[in-house]
Amino acid sequence: MREWPLGFVDKMLWFIESNFRKTIELEDIADACGVSRFHMCRGFVAATGYSVMDYVRGRRLTEAARLLAVGAPSILDVALEVGYGSHEAFTRAFRERFGVTPEGLRDGQYIMSSLLVEPIRMNTAAQTRVSLEPPRREKLGPLTLVGLGRVHRYDNNSGIPSQWTDFQAYEGTLGETENIWFGVCTDFNEEDSSFRYMCAVIAPDTGGLPDELDVLKLPEQTYLVFTHREHVSQIQATMKAIWSDHIPNSDVTVNGLEAVLERYDERFHPVTGRGGFDILIPIKA
């Protein structure tokens, strides 16, 4: 079995576990791990299912909950120990995450174990790996896309398949280019762990669209194109390999201002989810 070197996600986990009680920002973690902020954020969520700062906040509050559950006498001392500057800020964050106040937990109220964020063991995030085919470079655009967009969280994108089902009702009514569809990921927000996903087609005529559909214009862009040949449900493993393994070890610079695309063509069978498709990562030429 191939031995994988310590990747930057493992370095991130080490740094976070060593420093989450301090005030750390995304830039601090990226600098310590020797990667760009964009690479770091995409790779970490692909490998762990958490955004970086959501994991940091979750670890802080979970450790605080442990201290309070065993009767820590001073809530302010606990708040300061896990990186919060005031009782009020700590109480607000604690209640938002767990649904109870620090005082309530200390007095015997219950927190659901599923809300706790346990430390991810280094190398656990890298255990499931796929072998990527060498990517190719492709210049694409400008494109005018029409589609159905919705916001999803990094740790719960299970609504995307049903989003495609809803979008299928419009197929054939938009004057679209046949046999090609795009999944478009934009508006990555590290603070609230969300991104916008659009099910889309190429449709130059954007007049008279239903209110629930959006128009997205993409400029000409150079992409690094990876082919995913497994079932569509396995896309996360390919994304993990792209962001955690290939990108950090390549000489490309990702263009973090542009959309990440999934491109489905005649190879892909929408009923079975098989046939394969392309994943396009925008890069600076």
Side-chain angles (χ1 to χ4, degrees):
M1 179 178 294
R2 178 178 178 179
E3 291 296 327
W4 292 88
L6 187 67
F8 81 92
V9 173
D10 292 327
K11 295 176 184 176
M12 289 176 65
L13 290 170
W14 179 87
F15 182 84
I16 291 170
E17 289 301 317
S18 300
N19 294 280
F20 70 78
R21 293 173 177 83
K22 306 174 185 177
T23 300
I24 54 174
E25 305 293 341
L26 289 170
E27 288 77 9
D28 301 325
I29 306 172
D31 289 345
C33 299
V35 294
S36 75
R37 173 171 165 167
F38 189 84
H39 288 179
M40 177 188 72
C41 293
R42 298 284 76 72
F44 192 80
V45 72
T48 69
Y50 291 100
S51 75
V52 179
M53 295 313 295
D54 190 49
Y55 181 73
V56 171
R57 287 190 293 266
R59 291 293 299 122
R60 284 175 175 164
L61 293 170
T62 295
E63 292 306 306
R66 295 193 192 286
L67 294 172
L68 293 167
V70 297
S74 171
I75 291 175
L76 178 58
D77 285 349
V78 171
L80 294 174
E81 182 171 341
V82 297
Y84 286 86
S86 70
H87 186 294
E88 292 75 15
F90 173 64
T91 297
R92 182 169 58 252
F94 197 92
R95 186 192 299 115
E96 287 176 355
R97 187 158 204 108
F98 298 129
V100 301
T101 64
E103 290 86 353
L105 176 63
R106 189 179 57 181
D107 294 340
Q109 291 186 23
Y110 176 73
I111 287 179
M112 293 178 60
S113 60
S114 61
L115 299 177
L116 300 172
V117 178
E118 303 293 348
I120 299 173
R121 182 170 58 84
M122 288 185 291
N123 280 328
T124 296
Q127 286 177 357
T128 302
R129 294 184 180 269
V130 299
S131 297
L132 292 175
E133 299 177 14
R136 66 184 186 277
R137 296 191 183 209
E138 179 179 331
K139 187 170 289 186
L140 183 66
L143 294 176
T144 298
L145 302 178
V146 171
L148 179 65
R150 292 174 183 166
V151 175
H152 300 269
R153 285 182 54 85
Y154 292 151
D155 57 0
N156 184 8
N157 56 18
S158 59
I160 289 178
S162 63
Q163 183 177 335
W164 276 105
T165 299
D166 293 341
F167 183 58
Q168 286 173 1
Y170 301 99
E171 289 189 18
T173 70
L174 302 172
E176 67 265 30
T177 301
E178 294 185 357
N179 297 323
I180 185 166
W181 307 265
F182 287 92
V184 186
C185 299
T186 59
D187 300 337
F188 300 100
N189 189 320
E190 301 307 327
E191 293 305 316
D192 67 4
S193 307
S194 69
F195 67 99
R196 183 172 178 80
Y197 185 87
M198 185 178 185
C199 310
V201 291
I202 301 173
D205 184 4
T206 59
L209 294 174
D211 292 340
E212 58 270 25
L213 297 186
D214 300 320
V215 177
L216 179 64
K217 293 183 181 293
L218 299 180
E220 182 180 90
Q221 170 65 48
T222 299
Y223 295 90
L224 206 59
V225 182
F226 297 85
T227 298
H228 174 85
R229 298 193 184 279
E230 305 301 323
H231 190 272
V232 66
S233 63
Q234 314 246 327
I235 186 174
Q236 195 63 32
T238 298
M239 286 293 193
K240 183 189 301 184
I242 292 171
W243 291 110
S244 298
D245 299 328
H246 185 91
I247 295 292
N249 295 307
S250 72
D251 60 356
V252 302
T253 300
V254 174
N255 186 349
L257 299 178
E258 298 299 332
V260 174
L261 307 178
E262 303 159 9
R263 181 173 59 193
Y264 303 86
D265 55 24
E266 65 277 357
R267 295 170 295 171
F268 182 71
H269 195 293
V271 175
T272 66
R274 300 187 182 280
F277 54 91
D278 294 326
I279 297 170
L280 288 76
I281 307 297
I283 61 173
K284 296 180 180 180

